[in-house]
Amino acid sequence: MDSIFEKIRELRTQQNMTLKDLSSRSGLSISFLSQVERGNSSLAITSLQKIAEVLNVPITAFFEEQQNSQYFVPESERKQFQIEGSSAIYVRLGGDFSGRALEPFHVTLPPRQKQDVVFNHPGEEFYYILEGKVIMTVDGKEYHLSKGDSIHFPSTLDHTWYNPTEEAAQVVSVLTPVIFKTNS
């Protein structure tokens, strides 16, 4: 996670942005942002999302090195990552090229894993259950998904998920929120 803190500082300074600028645009305090950039504070996904939006980069930019025009992604080169405050394991499946609009992931939801934060943002989301069970709540309605089921909805609706079982759920997720688009 140390590289995330370094990338935040690097991107901020590349954009000639002060901590005060980042603070006023993100709603996060200057002292908190300073601690984050020094690696002295943990960072929740919601805070990282705000920082990514202000810096106009995909949230995934903090987790991996970007490569130009990479269409083919061999399994051996895929890297797992986790987001602060979540035990879900993400693996980015898609290529990386200018103008891409889709962000496909393989997500492993551990047993009894619940997303506590309700999200909504521009874009669309699609989930396909490979193994296990997932309860998706979209716009206040619960959907019980099992192996082979899928759900596709506008990300502007409040949404969250939960693995209600004692076994990990394996999910393919394809997203199009602004926070996951490349900036090239």
Side-chain angles (χ1 to χ4, degrees):
M1 293 294 282
D2 288 343
S3 65
I4 292 174
F5 307 124
E6 294 165 1
K7 287 182 182 182
I8 291 171
R9 182 179 331 123
E10 178 184 324
L11 288 167
R12 178 182 60 78
T13 56
Q14 281 176 356
Q15 297 181 27
N16 296 320
M17 192 180 298
T18 65
L19 279 174
K20 184 177 180 181
D21 295 333
L22 184 56
S23 172
S24 67
R25 294 179 190 171
S26 68
L28 303 169
S29 74
I30 294 172
S31 62
F32 172 71
L33 291 169
S34 177
Q35 288 177 348
V36 165
E37 284 191 0
R38 291 191 318 266
N40 294 334
S41 180
S42 62
L43 189 60
I45 182 62
T46 53
S47 298
L48 187 59
Q49 180 176 342
K50 289 176 185 177
I51 292 168
E53 288 171 359
V54 171
L55 295 174
N56 196 28
V57 297
I59 199 167
T60 54
F62 298 113
F63 299 101
E64 58 189 41
E65 295 298 319
Q66 296 292 328
Q67 298 179 10
N68 292 333
S69 297
Q70 179 184 359
Y71 306 125
F72 174 65
V73 184
E75 185 177 9
S76 62
E77 292 182 18
R78 294 183 194 144
K79 298 175 185 161
Q80 293 184 350
F81 66 92
Q82 289 185 272
I83 297 172
E84 184 78 23
S86 171
S87 60
I89 299 169
Y90 295 85
V91 176
R92 191 163 167 257
L93 299 175
D96 191 9
F97 53 89
S98 179
R100 71 186 173 91
L102 300 175
E103 187 68 76
F105 290 102
H106 177 264
V107 184
T108 301
L109 304 176
R112 301 287 176 195
Q113 172 66 34
K114 184 173 187 174
Q115 180 182 343
D116 293 324
V117 177
V118 175
F119 285 103
N120 64 55
H121 45 83
E124 297 178 46
E125 299 192 24
F126 171 84
Y127 296 89
Y128 177 78
I129 310 305
L130 297 169
E131 294 291 333
K133 297 182 184 297
V134 176
I135 298 173
M136 296 286 302
T137 303
V138 179
D139 201 25
K141 183 174 180 184
E142 279 191 3
Y143 298 89
H144 295 256
L145 292 92
S146 298
K147 181 178 180 177
D149 291 339
S150 62
I151 187 168
H152 182 194
F153 57 89
S155 302
T156 53
L157 300 174
D158 286 350
H159 56 280
T160 187
W161 52 257
Y162 173 57
N163 176 354
T165 71
E166 296 299 330
E167 295 183 16
Q170 304 295 324
V171 180
V172 169
S173 171
V174 181
L175 310 174
T176 62
V178 171
I179 59 173
F180 287 105
K181 289 184 180 178
T182 58
N183 195 29
S184 45

